[in-house]
Amino acid sequence: IAAQFGKDEL
Amino acid sequence: MNVFRLSGDVAHLIAIIILLLKIWTSRSCAGISGKSQILFAVTFVARYLDLFTNYVSIYNSVMKIVYLLASFGTVYLMYMKFKATYDHNHDTFRLEFLILPAIALSLIINHDFAVIEVFWTFSIYLESVAILPQLFMVSKTGEAESITSHYLFALGSYRALYIVNWIYRYYMEGFYDMIATLAGIVQTVLYCDFFYLYITKVLKGKKLQLPA
């Protein structure tokens, strides 16, 4: 998955 | 959320707190690059524009607010409250050399050409090089106070732990983000020389002093 652009990370 | 990611966030938080405490208790920001601190504040603003549009978790929102407040607090202490102690003669890195390429690159290489996405990408590129004015300042003066080197070590550990987190997430969740990962690797590599000096000198009780 080229995921949701790492937006759950800080 | 995994243990590497959490440790990375905690290391980041510790770095920010070390810096604030150092400035507050010594009433001085000598040896600290205000330019790097401005870049970190810009990074946080650009990245956390989604604070009110993209809810992830309480943890996520609280940490974003803490990082924002702390970075603005640091800039305030350096440029207002303890301005007299700011070592601007040694803080001469040209910010446009970092900001302009980060803007250009974020417009060219991004996941999606949308406003919030480009700002996020810009923040990732800018953060990866934001420490350069600080490292430049240390190399210019040839030394750093040990508290400054603890700060840099915690800050470098944060990105190194994030890399371990990305490896873990790739294998466990099939998750990857090429932009964040490549920029994160660049960011971590910038700290390598410093890590070496920190381990061989500061941890043995010596001052961080560059070879003449």
Side-chain angles (χ1 to χ4, degrees):
Chain A
I1 318 160
Q4 280 307 320
F5 311 148
K7 297 302 188 293
D8 59 324
E9 295 182 342
L10 296 161
Chain B
M1 175 67 81
N2 58 65
V3 66
F4 307 111
R5 157 75 201 286
L6 183 63
S7 315
D9 288 349
V10 170
H12 197 181
L13 197 58
I14 289 174
I16 292 170
I17 292 171
I18 286 177
L19 186 62
L20 275 173
L21 280 180
K22 173 214 145 57
I23 296 174
W24 188 256
T25 56
S26 68
R27 323 298 286 172
S28 160
C29 53
I32 302 299
S33 164
K35 294 191 172 178
S36 279
Q37 296 309 316
I38 287 175
L39 292 183
F40 284 127
V42 171
T43 288
F44 287 136
V45 171
R47 187 170 311 165
Y48 300 155
L49 286 177
D50 69 352
L51 187 58
F52 300 103
T53 59
N54 176 34
Y55 178 79
V56 177
S57 64
I58 290 281
Y59 170 83
N60 192 277
S61 301
V62 169
M63 290 294 263
K64 282 175 175 172
I65 293 167
V66 170
Y67 288 161
L68 280 167
L69 290 178
S71 66
F72 276 93
T74 307
V75 170
Y76 165 75
L77 291 183
M78 293 197 70
Y79 286 92
M80 312 281 277
K81 195 163 173 66
F82 301 124
K83 189 176 197 278
T85 65
Y86 170 46
D87 201 0
H88 60 86
N89 289 333
H90 288 125
D91 194 13
T92 50
F93 202 98
R94 300 274 296 272
L95 288 189
E96 59 270 35
F97 291 164
L98 301 178
I99 292 180
L100 296 179
I103 292 175
L105 202 57
S106 62
L107 290 169
I108 301 165
I109 304 176
N110 52 54
H111 290 305
D112 181 19
F113 198 73
V115 176
I116 289 221
E117 191 59 38
V118 170
F119 270 104
W120 179 85
T121 312
F122 164 69
S123 83
I124 293 289
Y125 295 148
L126 188 65
E127 186 193 351
S128 70
V129 293
I131 200 60
L132 284 177
Q134 179 65 60
L135 295 176
F136 183 68
M137 194 171 176
V138 171
S139 74
K140 216 172 172 197
T141 57
E143 61 179 39
E145 284 179 65
S146 53
I147 188 76
T148 305
S149 40
H150 298 325
Y151 161 70
L152 283 169
F153 183 75
L155 201 57
S157 309
Y158 140 65
R159 248 350 189 195
L161 284 161
Y162 256 70
I163 292 178
V164 184
N165 154 61
W166 290 322
I167 295 169
Y168 177 90
R169 290 190 74 175
Y170 179 73
Y171 286 108
M172 302 311 267
E173 304 165 20
F175 169 98
Y176 67 92
D177 184 318
M178 218 28 109
I179 289 178
T181 307
L182 289 179
I185 290 170
V186 169
Q187 187 173 349
T188 310
V189 166
L190 294 181
Y191 286 86
C192 284
D193 182 47
F194 166 79
F195 279 152
Y196 172 77
L197 289 170
Y198 185 82
I199 291 164
T200 56
K201 294 202 170 167
V202 181
L203 290 185
K204 288 178 182 152
K206 287 183 237 163
K207 195 172 178 175
L208 190 126
Q209 217 153 10
L210 301 183

